[in-house]
């Protein structure tokens, strides 16, 4: 096996120290391959397919511990060297990049043309775009711009057997054939490796205004959110936290900042704290929440009217749990703090999950240590989706080339 | 695949009809507006399907058989499809011609022949028969009832002889108007009043109101001694009879001296506007038609145009009024403004819009008799909307609608009175 | 012909009056709004998910194809049955089941007309963003099945961006629900690819749709240009300026002249093209956008008019709305071509389409959802003229290739259906088509669900 791999690329390593750097929760590959172009990526997969080897794809390494526990694998393929900007079509407001490009680098490039990608995953910009899209990560801007599903116009995918296929394109409207982009986005790399991504860009706004509102109790919180949902204001992002503090951002778009502030306040019927800043300084300020790696992090997915119920529930818990929500999406992240024992954490997660179900929602364990993950299904998936997800996995990766264990049902 | 040759050879339908059928792009936009489709959801109950059936006939893929007959005879000829049709296909013209083809190929039922070739052509005979019936001479009444069902003037009531007796007015409109002066004190002009059969024989009160309002607005009324406009024959595909009526009426119109020619039956108005189709181009008759259609107004339009002459009572109680647009007014004449504006101008009227106001009531001449079940489904939908308005009065402008919706009032218990716009105007005039 | 015993079973499931099989009826179910034809063997009207489930189970047991049908307004043959079988007509499943204002979700049955939902939502201050031109008559099930677009997609995205969940009868005969009241669902994005699957992976029985608050105000502008390139260029310029209009529609001179001749609209007939631009949002946000757009347009030499009130706004739109209709009055048959190219390629592509049309002797006018590069040349002809029909087919084929060559696609919103299957090869290689086929195989291994669509055999 090793001999065959060596023929593919010089960027191939069997070195102990190198291999150990690519261990995931203690599970190490046999070898590491650093790909730098599409040809290499295809070749590696083709070879793995023939050798019946299991592959783990590694971008910037940011999501290796996301989801369930990764099963044993033979080869880790890294994509961070595969980071070309293939086609930046500013007039068309699209950019096509290779999957190993870091989001931050892309953001910097398009900024120079006064454009921006409205995609701000809270996990940070030091991740590869391929990884972010595969993990379906997103940030507060999803309120207005949606998630990867809405921003990705086209994908090139390397299939389990090493064939390269292309879906979608450079246009917003495209209904030629099945929309397989949707299948691969958020599939956690279990069906194929993302090779190339075409994304939709927007003009960089000149000035934004951030508004802040502090709700007295969870009813007031929900009342205010409701006003936001019902308003026709061009709100770009909304973030709320368990202190019932709500922040949202509106671009001025040619309106004097002061006027905008007046209009927004009167439309929402509240005097709001506000500050103005440029897109270059844009930050939702919630990165810290995700940075700390020590706690277990769970993700509530509820109908959006239940977000304040989640807050109310959490605030009633012992010690209070710091939480952060993208309320328009009905998503609340909760950091489980103050618990050490696996048993306790698992039970708490289960309790939360029960409560999420009561709110017509679901609860995923977003990040947890291996003992927790082993005792708990981290994905709260419904039976239908699970059944068909398994069927799809079987069809597209019948040999199980892509290292599994991380996605729903252990896929 | 269409075969060009077939279309050239298919001479049993006129070129205009063939061209109209070919124009249907099958876009399907007629679906939500076609009443028969709305209640059935069947493709043979919508304009698109009907056109495709005719197409199938032309292309030799379908026979002129019973299935085709049902589909084509169940069309209301309401032309709601026309209003929404991109290429503006006049479904009624196609349907009338195919029904005519049916008569030519399969023969005309004796009853229809008797009506269109004898009774309607001899109004004095028809009048005598009706009078005999209303004076209680019962012999032959059931036969007459059957005849009148085909015309639909008295609605569902004439299923039996008793119903008929109740429905025939004691005196017809022409008699009533003949008995009085129709010249106003301050004369501004003159209206020639075309009296529709439904108004004359079944709803003289409406016609009486029409004449009164004309007088009140300073217009002398000349009652035209006209024949049936020909629409009933048209609906049954008896185009020969249509031509007979057209010719007779044109002769009568040729020496009318009046500022306006007005009728209070929207169906008559719209059909009179179609007369040009039935006379040769560049003929003397065509000139007469052009002249009289220029002066022709539906009563609602006339009311709207002479609105500045109206003198309405003020103070007094208000009533909520809603409007049903007769198909012949809204879809054929594309007139939806006049009746509304007239109603809104009446001080005592609180106007409420009716949902789907231009959706056929299912009356469609005698359609309610020939296709009772379909007609009732359509009527049910109409009455539900009427109830939702909460209006006390429903105004409309066509005798067939008045009959049908009055029936709906009883059948579906809707607490609403049905009035012709003329009647409402008269009631509220000083 | 379907065997008698099958008819009997269908009658038992759906009721006698809901099963059609006379030759006349079947003749009427062989078409949709496209030029494709295919005779079904039987048509059934269903009123519930259980009906559909029972029919599908029966079809699967008897190995007979089945095809869902709503209003059959497809422009590519999507509801035609090239392989015969059972047509499952869902038009009677047209209820609004729930409007959950708190969560912004409308739950409806698939046979509901798009406009009926819009009307209901409007009365509550909401909209459902996808507004295909056929919204008066096209069903929401069809909209989701085809991932429909519409003028407002420019700002709000296409149908898939507004569908939260689906309940459907899958080809295995089970009723399954994916997604619903939440904005995401763990697992593969099944709802995502079911959008635009053209009814080949199952039949929708319930749709969970995202409602948005109504925009509050709109401003409408009409700009006319002396050259098509300036007009097409203005489209990119506006978007580059950071303004995303709600709609950005384009009409060429042929369309302008035709609407002016047949409708009472006041468009400048000398113009090479007009753009109708609409911005929406809270009332106070409109003026700055309008000013900015006007500045751009004038710089490009356009004459600009804006609507002062609703009547004027309707007047400006009347021409655009009536354009297709006015065009179709000129000749018996019409193809509404539906390609998409990157926005900045519009000037070039429009010129080349003109060349192709001249080469093939096509009579056409162009409408564009210009903001998203969606081009709709309306090609008129008489399908009774075989030679002309052939030229139209060849011309369209060339235009599709042109779109692909310029980085676009063969269909932006009408779907592949039957008509564009041959053109799929311009866009996709063997491998891509196989991957699509795999998706079909996962859900419909027997290949009975709406066969003969989307993918080459
Ligand atoms: S005339 Fe009326 S009933 Fe007949 S097809 Fe048209 S809309 Fe339907
Ligand atoms: S709207 Fe007109 S063209 Fe369209 S299907 Fe109906 S009749 Fe035919």
């Amino acid at each position: 096996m090793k001999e065959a791999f060596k023929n593919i690329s010089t960027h191939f390593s069997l070195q102990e120290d190198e291999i150990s750097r690519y261990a995931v929760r203690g599970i190490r590959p046999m070898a590491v391959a650093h790909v730098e172009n599409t040809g290499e990526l295809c070749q590696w997969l083709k070879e793995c397919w023939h050798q019946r080897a299991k592959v783990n794809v590694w971008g910037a390494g940011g999501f290796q511990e996301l989801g369930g526990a990764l099963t044993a694998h033979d080869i880790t393929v890294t994509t961070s060297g595969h980071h070309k900007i293939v086609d930046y079509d500013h007039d068309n407001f699209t950019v096509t990049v290779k999957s190993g490009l870091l989001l931050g680098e892309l953001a910097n490039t398009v900024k120079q043309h006064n454009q921006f990608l409205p995609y701000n995953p809270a996990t940070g910009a030091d991740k590869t775009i391929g990884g972010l899209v595969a993990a379906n990560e997103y940030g507060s801007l999803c309120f207005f711009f949606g998630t990867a599903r809405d921003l990705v116009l086209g994908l090139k995918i390397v299939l389990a057997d090493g064939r390269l296929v292309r879906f979608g394109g450079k246009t917003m409207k495209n209904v030629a054939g099945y929309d397989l982009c949707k299948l691969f986005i958020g599939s956690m790399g279990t069906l194929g490796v993302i090779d190339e991504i075409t994304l939709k860009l927007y003009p960089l706004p000149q000035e934004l205004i951030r508004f802040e509102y502090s709700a007295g109790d969870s009813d007031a919180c929900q009342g205010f959110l409701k006003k936001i949902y019902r308003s026709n204001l061009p709100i770009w992002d909304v973030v709320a936290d368990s202190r019932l503090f709500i922040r949202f951002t509106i671009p001025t778009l040619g309106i004097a900042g002061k006027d905008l502030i007046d209009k927004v306040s009167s439309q929402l019927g509240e005097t709001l704290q506000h500050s103005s800043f440029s897109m270059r300084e844009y930050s939702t300020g919630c990165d810290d929440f995700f940075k700390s790696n020590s706690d277990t992090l769970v993700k509530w997915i509820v109908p959006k009217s239940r977000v304040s119920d989640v807050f109310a529930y959490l605030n009633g818990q012992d010690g209070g749990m710091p939480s952060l929500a993208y309320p328009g999406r009905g998503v609340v992240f909760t950091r489980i703090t103050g618990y050490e024992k696996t048993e306790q954490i698992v039970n708490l997660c289960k309790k939360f999950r029960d409560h999420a179900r009561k709110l017509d929602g679901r609860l995923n364990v977003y990040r947890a240590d291996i003992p927790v993950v082993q005792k708990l299904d981290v994905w709260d998936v419904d039976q239908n989706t699970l059944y068909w997800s398994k069927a799809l996995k079987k069809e597209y990766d019948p040999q199980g080339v892509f290292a599994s264990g991380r996605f729903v049902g252990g896929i | 695949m269409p075969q060009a040759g077939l279309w050239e050879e298919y001479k049993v339908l006129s070129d205009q009809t063939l061209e109209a059928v070919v124009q249907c792009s099958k876009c399907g936009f007629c679906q939500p507006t076609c009443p028969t489709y709305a209640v059935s959801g069947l493709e043979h109950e919508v304009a698109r399907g009907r056109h495709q059936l005719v197409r199938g006939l032309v292309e030799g893929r379908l026979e002129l058989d019973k299935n085709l007959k049902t589909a084509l005879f169940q069309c209301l000829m309401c032309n709601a499809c026309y209003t929404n049709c991109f290429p503006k296909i006049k479904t009624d013209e196609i349907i009338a011609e195919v029904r005519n083809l049916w008569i030519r190929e399969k023969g005309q039922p004796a009853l229809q022949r008797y009506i269109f070739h004898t009774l309607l052509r001899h109004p004095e005979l028809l009048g005598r028969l009706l009078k005999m019936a209303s004076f209680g001479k019962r012999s032959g009444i059931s036969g007459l009832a059957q005849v009148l069902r085909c015309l639909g003037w008295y609605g569902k009531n004439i299923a039996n002889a008793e119903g008929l007796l109740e429905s025939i007015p004691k005196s017809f409109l022409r008699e009533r108007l003949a008995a009085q002066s129709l010249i106003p004190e301050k004369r501004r002009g003159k209206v020639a009043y075309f009296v529709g059969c439904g108004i004359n024989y079944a709803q003289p009160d409406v016609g009486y109101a029409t004449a009164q309002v004309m007088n009140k607005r300073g217009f002398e009324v000349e009652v035209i001694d006209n024949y049936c406009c020909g629409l009933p024959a048209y609906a049954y595909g008896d185009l020969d009879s249509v031509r007979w009526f057209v010719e007779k009426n044109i002769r009568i119109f040729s020496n009318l001296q009046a500022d306006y020619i007005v009728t209070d039956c929207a169906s008559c108005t719209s059909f009179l506007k179609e007369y040009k189709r039935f006379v040769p181009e560049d003929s003397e008759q065509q000139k007469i038609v052009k002249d009289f259609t220029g002066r022709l107004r539906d009563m609602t339009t006339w009311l709207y145009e002479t609105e500045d002459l109206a003198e309405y009572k003020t103070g007094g109680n208000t009533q909520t009024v809603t409007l049903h647009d007769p198909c012949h007014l809204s879809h054929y004449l594309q007139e939806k403004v006049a009746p509304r504006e007239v109603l809104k101008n009446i001080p005592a009227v609180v106007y409420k819009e009716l949902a789907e106001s231009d959706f056929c009531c299912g009356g469609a001449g005698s359609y309610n008799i020939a296709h009772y079940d379909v007609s009732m489904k359509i009527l049910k939908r109409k009455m539900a909307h009427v109830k939702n308005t909460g209006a006390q009065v429903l105004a409309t402008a066509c005798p067939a609608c008045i009959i049908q919706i009055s029936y709906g009032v009883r059948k579906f218990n809707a607490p609403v009175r049905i009035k012709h716009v003329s009647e409402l105007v008269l009631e509220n005039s000083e | 012909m379907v065997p008698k015993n099958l008819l009997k079973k269908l009658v038992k499931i759906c009721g006698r009056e809901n099963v059609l099989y006379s030759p006349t009826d079947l003749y009427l179910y062989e078409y949709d709004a496209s030029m494709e034809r295919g005779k079904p063997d039987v048509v059934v009207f269903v009123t519930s998910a259980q009906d559909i489930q029972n029919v599908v189970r029966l079809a699967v047991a008897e190995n007979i194809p089945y095809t869902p049908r709503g209003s059959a307004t497809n422009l590519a043959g999507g509801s035609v049955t090239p392989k015969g079988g059972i047509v499952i007509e869902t038009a009677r499943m047209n209820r609004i089941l729930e409007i959950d204002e708190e969560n912004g979700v409308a739950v409806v049955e698939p046979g509901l007309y798009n406009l009926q939902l819009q009307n209901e939502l409007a009365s509550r201050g909401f909209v459902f963003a996808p507004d295909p031109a056929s919204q008066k008559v096209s069903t929401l099930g069809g909209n989701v099945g085809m991932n429909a677009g519409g003028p407002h997609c420019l700002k709000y995205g296409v149908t898939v961006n507004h569908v939260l969940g689906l309940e459907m009868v899958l080809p295995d005969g089970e009723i399954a629900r994916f997604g619903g009241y939440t904005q995401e669902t763990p697992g593969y994005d099944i709802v995502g690819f079911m959008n635009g699957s053209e009814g080949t992976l199952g039949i929708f029985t319930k749709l969970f749709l995202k409602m948005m608050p109504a925009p509050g105000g709109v401003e409408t502008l009409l700009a006319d240009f002396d050259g098509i390139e300036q007009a097409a260029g203005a489209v990119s310029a506006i978007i580059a300026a950071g303004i995303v209009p709600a709609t950005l529609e384009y009409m060429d001179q042929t369309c302008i002249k035709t609407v002016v001749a047949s409708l009472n609209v006041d468009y400048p007939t000398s113009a090479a093209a007009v753009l109708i631009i609409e911005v929406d949002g809270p009332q106070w946000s409109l003026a700055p956008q309008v000013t900015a757009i006007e500045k751009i347009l004038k710089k490009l030499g356009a004459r600009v008019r804006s609507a002062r009130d609703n009547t004027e706004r309707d007047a400006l739109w009347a021409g655009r709305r009536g354009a297709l209709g006015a065009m179709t009055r000129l000749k018996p048959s019409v193809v509404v071509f539906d390609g998409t190219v990157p926005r900045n390629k519009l000037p070039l592509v429009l010129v080349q389409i003109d060349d192709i049309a001249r080469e093939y002797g096509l009579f056409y006018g162009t409408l564009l959802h210009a903001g998203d590069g969606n081009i709709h040349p309306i090609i008129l002809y008489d399908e009774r003229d075989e030679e002309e029909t052939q030229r139209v087919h060849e011309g369209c084929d060339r235009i599709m290739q042109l779109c692909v060559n310029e980085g676009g696609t063969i269909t932006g919103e009408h779907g592949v259906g039957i008509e564009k299957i041959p053109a799929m090869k311009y866009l996709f290689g063997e491998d891509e088509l196989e991957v699509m086929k795999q998706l079909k195989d996962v859900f419909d291994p027997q290949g009975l669900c709406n066969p003969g669509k989307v993918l080459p055999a």
Side-chain angles (χ1 to χ4, degrees), chain C residues 103-125:
Chain C
N103 290 306
V105 184
V107 187
V108 304
E109 290 187 323
L112 186 73
Y113 295 138
N114 177 302
L115 190 65
Q116 281 176 319
L117 176 64
Q118 302 287 6
N119 289 342
E120 176 59 35
L121 295 187
S123 70
R124 299 159 181 259

Side-chain angles (χ1 to χ4, degrees), chain A residues 231-377:
Chain A
S231 88
N232 49 27
L233 296 169
I235 294 172
W236 274 15
D237 70 8
V238 185
V239 182
D241 62 35
S242 44
R243 295 164 304 151
L244 306 183
F245 193 59
I246 301 166
R247 283 162 293 164
F248 62 96
T249 309
I250 301 183
T252 54
L253 295 177
I255 296 160
K258 203 182 136 302
D259 287 356
L260 179 73
I261 291 159
D262 290 348
K263 302 287 185 200
V264 171
S265 308
S266 80
Q267 207 165 323
L268 295 175
E270 301 281 352
T271 336
L272 301 165
Q273 295 288 317
H274 50 80
S275 54
S276 132
F277 57 97
S278 79
M279 196 65 211
R280 285 166 212 280
E281 303 151 342
Y282 178 88
S283 144
T284 50
C286 44
D287 302 357
D288 289 348
F289 182 89
F290 291 92
K291 284 246 164 70
S292 139
N293 254 325
S294 54
D295 295 328
T296 303
L297 199 56
V298 296
K299 178 180 177 184
W300 304 70
I301 305 165
V302 293
K304 65 183 178 187
S305 69
R306 313 310 289 269
V307 166
S308 60
D309 294 341
V310 175
F311 286 151
Y313 174 78
L314 291 169
N315 288 339
Q317 295 297 305
D318 252 4
M321 304 269 164
S323 299
L324 185 113
Y326 301 135
R329 202 165 164 82
V331 162
V332 183
F333 290 96
T334 299
R335 240 165 47 200
I336 297 184
T337 50
Y339 293 88
E340 294 295 325
K341 290 211 189 88
T342 303
E343 200 74 348
Q344 285 178 315
I345 296 174
V346 168
N347 285 339
L348 201 61
C349 288
K350 283 186 177 157
K351 201 171 98 181
F352 284 1
R353 187 168 281 174
D354 286 344
H355 194 72
R357 297 282 180 91
K358 277 192 206 128
L359 299 174
D360 298 322
R362 305 240 156 213
L363 184 121
N364 288 343
V365 177
Y366 182 78
R367 190 178 61 212
D369 287 341
I370 195 74
V372 173
V373 168
Q374 278 162 346
K375 288 209 173 57
L376 192 70
D377 193 348

